[in-house]
Amino acid sequence: MSSVIEAAVTMLQEKMPGGFDGVVKFVLTGEGSIMIDRNGVRAGDEDADVTLTAEADVFRSILDGDISAMSAFMTGKLGVEGSTGMAMKLGAALA
């Protein structure tokens, strides 16, 4: 597992200690992927209700609050595949 994925998992665990009501996969281009579900946050690559894809720096900016997930999506920096409702729910949880 890359150090970028390890750091991202730690940041998400702090933001979402109780996990998430759904199954989400974050794909960090060139680094790997992260799963979030009712069991919490972990590195992994499994089926999900929604898959979000972004460069690592964009992902970090979303977690740091420098850019909203919606802004990243609208500017083409964040790709969404699957349930857009679940993506919006996650965006609200990360805000």
Side-chain angles (χ1 to χ4, degrees), residues 29 53-55 58-59 62 67 69 71-79:
T29 307
T53 305
E55 297 289 332
V58 172
F59 179 76
I62 292 169
I67 185 174
S71 293
F73 174 73
M74 297 300 284
T75 58
K77 295 178 181 178
L78 177 67

Side-chain angles (χ1 to χ4, degrees), residues 12-36:
L12 281 168
Q13 287 172 335
E14 291 171 4
K15 282 191 169 271
M16 306 182 82
F20 183 72
D21 187 25
V23 182
V24 178
K25 177 169 41 175
F26 277 108
V27 177
L28 304 185
T29 307
E31 298 294 339
S33 57
I34 301 165
M35 301 300 301
I36 306 171

